Structure formats: structure tokens, C-alpha cells
Amino acid sequence: MELTTVWFILIAVLWTGYFVLEGFDFGVGMLMPVLGRGEHGEVRKRVLLNTIGPVWDGNEVWLLTAGGATFAAFPHWYATMFSGLYLPLLIILVALIVRALGFDYRGKVDDPTWRKRWDLAIFAGSALPALLWGVALTNVVMGLPINAAKAYTGNLFTLLNPVGLLGGLTTVALFLTHGAIFIALKTEGDIRGEARALSLKLGAVAAVLAVVLLVAINVSTGSLPSWIAAVVAAVALLAGLFAAFREREGWAFIGTFVAIGAAVATLFLALFPDVMPSTTNAAYSLTTTNASSTAYTLGIMTWVAAV
């Protein structure tokens, strides 16, 4: 196996880890306005935030490591992807910063208006990345307009195509389901029951969206391994929803965990050996071979030393 293939697998694993772990964080943040309502709304919101309090910042390390690994092993992939997706990635970065501020500052002042504004920041800081990560990753797999100089020639609206938006809606639905099951796993009483019931409704929507997305991707650029991963994702999600229906939240969480992981694996398996397919001309596509450089070994060593 070539070293570039090994690093492609490693990067896929890192992105998978990020989505399955940060996914339920995003889900909890997006569900705060729904499960945090009622007479004891502030108490309920505090309970929801406490479920992810010990883990949300640690889960983001997967993103930093994935970006560092891409830069070290595939500098041309990194350059084309981050320049082409500059605006959505900037929006994601700002949203993550605002979200982190919301976690840290909403309890600093005992004022309902103050907390309400930071609650909105947490919601937006969770929903925007959940949507835009799906849009971005789907577009990378399906292909982008890249010219002979390996430069992106589209704009933001190029990314907002039907399949890209389907990818974004799918990640939002999956993260909401993942987050609802995580809340049910970590809480008791009314919140647990409401979260479990909500996960079944959200899961049904997520299942439909995910099947349509994964079939569309596999029909376009799939392979036997990617089809197998897609089937695993579908079975795991249905098993997780069945476990939630049976009030077995632990198994339900494992089901959505595996489902999201297999869905991300499907995308990377459908992408390989390309890393940035070109819709302008297949000859302009970036692959695991031409996305690396003669200096990438030194870059890998530097990245490993820094980590």
C-alpha cells in the first residue's frame, strides 16, 4: 500500500471521528430551543448543556488534527479545498467561535435577556456548521469546477446545488437524531422521554434523506466498498431507532454512532482515489498522487513533531 493511500485513510478516520463525536454536540445545541422550553426552561437548558459540557471542546480536536494531516500529507488538496471552500469554512469557523463563547458566557450574568442571546448563539453556532459541513463534503465528493492550474473557479452559489444542499440537510438531520439520543442517554425524567420521542421523528427524516443522498453519490461515483458502507449506515441507523423505540438508549446511541461513521466512510470510499474531482475536466482532478508533493514527507514529520 502506498504511503499516500495510508494518509488518505488516516484523514478519512479523523474526519469520521470528528463527525460522530462533534455530531451529537451539534445536535444538543440545535435542540436547546425545543427541549429547553416550558416553565422550567432555564433548568432544562442547564441540564442539556451539562450533558456535553465535559466533551464538546475535546471533540473539536479531531477537526484540528484532520486539517493538520491534510496540510502535511496533501498540500495541493489542502490549498485547493481551503481556497475553493473559503467562505463556507470561514462561516463555520466564526460559528464555532460564537458557539464556544455561548457555552462560556451565558452563565456569567444572571439576566434572562443575556442568556437568551447566548442561547441563540449556541443554536446558530451548532446549526450552521452542521449544515455547511454536509454541503462542503458532498460537493468535494461529487466534484467542483477546477481548472488546469488546480484552482477553484466557482463561487458560494456553485456549492448550493441540489445535491450539496441535500448533503447539508442530511448532516443536520443525522446530528439532530444523534443529539436527541445522546440527551436521552444522559438525562432522566421528562427530558429523557421527550428526547427519545423526538429522536424517532427526526430519525425517520434522517433515514430518508441519508438513503437518497448515499444512493445519489454511489450512482454517480461509487464503488463496491462505498455501497457496502452505505448499507451498513442504513442498517445501523434503523437498528439505532429501533433500540430507541425499545428505550435502550445506549444501543441507540451506538447505532447512530455507527450510522454516521459509515455514512462518512461511504463518502470517502466514493471519493478515492480522487481527493478533489474536477467537473470541468477529469484530467484536472486532484488525486492522492498529484495532490501530494516532493516535500510532503518533511511536512508530515513536522506535523507529527508539532502534535
mmCIF file of all heavy atoms in Angstrom, residues 146-165:
data_model
loop_
_atom_site.group_PDB
_atom_site.id
_atom_site.type_symbol
_atom_site.label_atom_id
_atom_site.label_comp_id
_atom_site.label_asym_id
_atom_site.label_seq_id
_atom_site.Cartn_x
_atom_site.Cartn_y
_atom_site.Cartn_z
ATOM 1 N N ILE A 146 -12.766 22.893 -11.229
ATOM 2 C CA ILE A 146 -11.341 23.124 -11.001
ATOM 3 C C ILE A 146 -10.652 23.186 -12.354
ATOM 4 O O ILE A 146 -10.890 22.332 -13.224
ATOM 5 C CB ILE A 146 -10.736 21.993 -10.144
ATOM 6 C CG1 ILE A 146 -11.421 21.940 -8.774
ATOM 7 C CG2 ILE A 146 -9.225 22.171 -9.972
ATOM 8 C CD1 ILE A 146 -11.031 20.730 -7.943
ATOM 9 N N ASN A 147 -9.820 24.186 -12.553
ATOM 10 C CA ASN A 147 -9.169 24.351 -13.850
ATOM 11 C C ASN A 147 -7.826 23.640 -13.891
ATOM 12 O O ASN A 147 -7.445 22.923 -12.955
ATOM 13 C CB ASN A 147 -9.015 25.840 -14.199
ATOM 14 C CG ASN A 147 -8.151 26.592 -13.196
ATOM 15 O OD1 ASN A 147 -7.357 25.999 -12.452
ATOM 16 N ND2 ASN A 147 -8.304 27.907 -13.166
ATOM 17 N N ALA A 148 -7.086 23.833 -14.976
ATOM 18 C CA ALA A 148 -5.810 23.133 -15.161
ATOM 19 C C ALA A 148 -4.782 23.527 -14.123
ATOM 20 O O ALA A 148 -3.856 22.756 -13.827
ATOM 21 C CB ALA A 148 -5.269 23.421 -16.559
ATOM 22 N N ALA A 149 -4.910 24.717 -13.542
ATOM 23 C CA ALA A 149 -3.977 25.181 -12.506
ATOM 24 C C ALA A 149 -4.378 24.670 -11.135
ATOM 25 O O ALA A 149 -3.798 25.101 -10.126
ATOM 26 C CB ALA A 149 -3.901 26.700 -12.511
ATOM 27 N N LYS A 150 -5.357 23.782 -11.062
ATOM 28 C CA LYS A 150 -5.865 23.215 -9.818
ATOM 29 C C LYS A 150 -6.510 24.282 -8.946
ATOM 30 O O LYS A 150 -6.491 24.199 -7.711
ATOM 31 C CB LYS A 150 -4.752 22.499 -9.031
ATOM 32 C CG LYS A 150 -3.918 21.530 -9.845
ATOM 33 C CD LYS A 150 -4.757 20.441 -10.490
ATOM 34 C CE LYS A 150 -3.885 19.451 -11.262
ATOM 35 N NZ LYS A 150 -4.688 18.465 -12.018
ATOM 36 N N ALA A 151 -7.090 25.294 -9.567
ATOM 37 C CA ALA A 151 -7.741 26.382 -8.843
ATOM 38 C C ALA A 151 -9.254 26.270 -8.988
ATOM 39 O O ALA A 151 -9.769 25.936 -10.064
ATOM 40 C CB ALA A 151 -7.268 27.733 -9.359
ATOM 41 N N TYR A 152 -9.963 26.567 -7.926
ATOM 42 C CA TYR A 152 -11.424 26.538 -7.924
ATOM 43 C C TYR A 152 -11.955 27.737 -8.705
ATOM 44 O O TYR A 152 -11.545 28.882 -8.465
ATOM 45 C CB TYR A 152 -11.919 26.555 -6.481
ATOM 46 C CG TYR A 152 -13.413 26.620 -6.315
ATOM 47 C CD1 TYR A 152 -14.212 25.524 -6.637
ATOM 48 C CD2 TYR A 152 -14.033 27.756 -5.809
ATOM 49 C CE1 TYR A 152 -15.592 25.568 -6.470
ATOM 50 C CE2 TYR A 152 -15.405 27.807 -5.631
ATOM 51 C CZ TYR A 152 -16.175 26.714 -5.966
ATOM 52 O OH TYR A 152 -17.534 26.751 -5.798
ATOM 53 N N THR A 153 -12.874 27.515 -9.617
ATOM 54 C CA THR A 153 -13.370 28.589 -10.472
ATOM 55 C C THR A 153 -14.834 28.946 -10.203
ATOM 56 O O THR A 153 -15.399 29.772 -10.914
ATOM 57 C CB THR A 153 -13.228 28.198 -11.955
ATOM 58 O OG1 THR A 153 -13.954 26.984 -12.200
ATOM 59 C CG2 THR A 153 -11.766 28.000 -12.330
ATOM 60 N N GLY A 154 -15.437 28.343 -9.188
ATOM 61 C CA GLY A 154 -16.825 28.634 -8.868
ATOM 62 C C GLY A 154 -16.956 29.690 -7.785
ATOM 63 O O GLY A 154 -16.018 30.433 -7.498
ATOM 64 N N ASN A 155 -18.137 29.758 -7.164
ATOM 65 C CA ASN A 155 -18.385 30.675 -6.066
ATOM 66 C C ASN A 155 -19.262 29.984 -5.031
ATOM 67 O O ASN A 155 -19.496 28.771 -5.121
ATOM 68 C CB ASN A 155 -19.040 31.967 -6.572
ATOM 69 C CG ASN A 155 -20.283 31.696 -7.410
ATOM 70 O OD1 ASN A 155 -21.121 30.869 -7.050
ATOM 71 N ND2 ASN A 155 -20.392 32.363 -8.555
ATOM 72 N N LEU A 156 -19.749 30.732 -4.053
ATOM 73 C CA LEU A 156 -20.560 30.134 -2.994
ATOM 74 C C LEU A 156 -21.813 29.487 -3.558
ATOM 75 O O LEU A 156 -22.208 28.399 -3.123
ATOM 76 C CB LEU A 156 -20.934 31.203 -1.959
ATOM 77 C CG LEU A 156 -21.855 30.739 -0.818
ATOM 78 C CD1 LEU A 156 -21.188 29.635 0.001
ATOM 79 C CD2 LEU A 156 -22.247 31.909 0.074
ATOM 80 N N PHE A 157 -22.446 30.128 -4.543
ATOM 81 C CA PHE A 157 -23.694 29.597 -5.078
ATOM 82 C C PHE A 157 -23.466 28.311 -5.881
ATOM 83 O O PHE A 157 -24.385 27.521 -6.054
ATOM 84 C CB PHE A 157 -24.381 30.663 -5.936
ATOM 85 C CG PHE A 157 -24.800 31.868 -5.149
ATOM 86 C CD1 PHE A 157 -24.070 33.041 -5.201
ATOM 87 C CD2 PHE A 157 -25.909 31.823 -4.319
ATOM 88 C CE1 PHE A 157 -24.443 34.157 -4.473
ATOM 89 C CE2 PHE A 157 -26.301 32.927 -3.577
ATOM 90 C CZ PHE A 157 -25.565 34.093 -3.649
ATOM 91 N N THR A 158 -22.235 28.114 -6.348
ATOM 92 C CA THR A 158 -21.909 26.857 -7.014
ATOM 93 C C THR A 158 -22.056 25.692 -6.042
ATOM 94 O O THR A 158 -22.480 24.591 -6.422
ATOM 95 C CB THR A 158 -20.469 26.894 -7.559
ATOM 96 O OG1 THR A 158 -20.309 28.032 -8.414
ATOM 97 C CG2 THR A 158 -20.140 25.629 -8.338
ATOM 98 N N LEU A 159 -21.721 25.943 -4.786
ATOM 99 C CA LEU A 159 -21.799 24.903 -3.762
ATOM 100 C C LEU A 159 -23.233 24.613 -3.348
ATOM 101 O O LEU A 159 -23.538 23.512 -2.878
ATOM 102 C CB LEU A 159 -20.995 25.327 -2.523
ATOM 103 C CG LEU A 159 -19.521 25.672 -2.740
ATOM 104 C CD1 LEU A 159 -18.899 26.187 -1.458
ATOM 105 C CD2 LEU A 159 -18.751 24.463 -3.262
ATOM 106 N N LEU A 160 -24.120 25.603 -3.522
ATOM 107 C CA LEU A 160 -25.506 25.450 -3.079
ATOM 108 C C LEU A 160 -26.363 24.822 -4.166
ATOM 109 O O LEU A 160 -27.448 25.304 -4.491
ATOM 110 C CB LEU A 160 -26.065 26.813 -2.657
ATOM 111 C CG LEU A 160 -25.301 27.515 -1.529
ATOM 112 C CD1 LEU A 160 -25.938 28.850 -1.208
ATOM 113 C CD2 LEU A 160 -25.227 26.635 -0.288
ATOM 114 N N ASN A 161 -25.872 23.734 -4.719
ATOM 115 C CA ASN A 161 -26.620 22.976 -5.719
ATOM 116 C C ASN A 161 -27.530 21.964 -5.011
ATOM 117 O O ASN A 161 -27.387 21.738 -3.801
ATOM 118 C CB ASN A 161 -25.647 22.271 -6.671
ATOM 119 C CG ASN A 161 -24.670 21.385 -5.929
ATOM 120 O OD1 ASN A 161 -25.014 20.293 -5.477
ATOM 121 N ND2 ASN A 161 -23.435 21.864 -5.767
ATOM 122 N N PRO A 162 -28.469 21.348 -5.711
ATOM 123 C CA PRO A 162 -29.417 20.448 -5.048
ATOM 124 C C PRO A 162 -28.760 19.318 -4.258
ATOM 125 O O PRO A 162 -29.160 19.034 -3.114
ATOM 126 C CB PRO A 162 -30.250 19.900 -6.218
ATOM 127 C CG PRO A 162 -30.208 20.991 -7.236
ATOM 128 C CD PRO A 162 -28.834 21.574 -7.126
ATOM 129 N N VAL A 163 -27.748 18.658 -4.832
ATOM 130 C CA VAL A 163 -27.113 17.553 -4.120
ATOM 131 C C VAL A 163 -26.327 18.074 -2.914
ATOM 132 O O VAL A 163 -26.330 17.460 -1.837
ATOM 133 C CB VAL A 163 -26.186 16.753 -5.065
ATOM 134 C CG1 VAL A 163 -25.514 15.612 -4.314
ATOM 135 C CG2 VAL A 163 -26.980 16.192 -6.238
ATOM 136 N N GLY A 164 -25.657 19.211 -3.072
ATOM 137 C CA GLY A 164 -24.928 19.792 -1.954
ATOM 138 C C GLY A 164 -25.852 20.156 -0.809
ATOM 139 O O GLY A 164 -25.561 19.881 0.367
ATOM 140 N N LEU A 165 -26.996 20.777 -1.120
ATOM 141 C CA LEU A 165 -27.962 21.133 -0.087
ATOM 142 C C LEU A 165 -28.568 19.889 0.556
ATOM 143 O O LEU A 165 -28.831 19.870 1.765
ATOM 144 C CB LEU A 165 -29.068 22.006 -0.689
ATOM 145 C CG LEU A 165 -28.637 23.427 -1.079
ATOM 146 C CD1 LEU A 165 -29.765 24.139 -1.820
ATOM 147 C CD2 LEU A 165 -28.230 24.226 0.157
#
